[in-house]
Amino acid sequence: MDPKAFEVRYREQIKDILNRLQSAMVVSSQLERSIADIGEAVQLLSRDVEQFLADQRPGPGGGNLS
């Protein structure tokens, strides 16, 4: 392979690698946001469960047992 063909091939491969890296970074950012959203949903669910259980307890701080 002559130097000019090597340079062209090298540049094309670098361009492809950088495009794939950019795509991976976009996907990574989307995944990171999705994980954060799931974490918030779990926290909200946990809070709702704790509140429900507190409401079920008899006594001054609890609710009814119906």
Side-chain angles (χ1 to χ4, degrees):
M1 174 182 312
D2 66 63
K4 185 68 176 168
F6 176 79
E7 180 182 355
V8 168
R9 183 175 173 196
Y10 176 85
R11 288 179 183 271
E12 288 174 357
Q13 288 178 338
I14 289 293
K15 184 179 175 181
D16 178 60
I17 289 168
L18 290 174
N19 285 337
R20 293 185 336 184
L21 181 59
Q22 184 178 22
S23 295
M25 290 178 64
V26 168
V27 170
S28 176
S29 294
Q30 292 170 342
L31 180 60
E32 185 177 340
R33 183 65 209 156
S34 181
I35 290 170
D37 289 345
I38 291 167
E40 289 174 20
V42 168
Q43 286 179 338
L44 290 173
L45 178 60
S46 178
R47 189 187 67 205
D48 289 346
V49 168
E50 288 177 11
Q51 184 62 53
F52 174 78
L53 293 175
D55 291 346
Q56 299 305 306
R57 287 188 206 117
N64 58 32
L65 288 174
S66 49

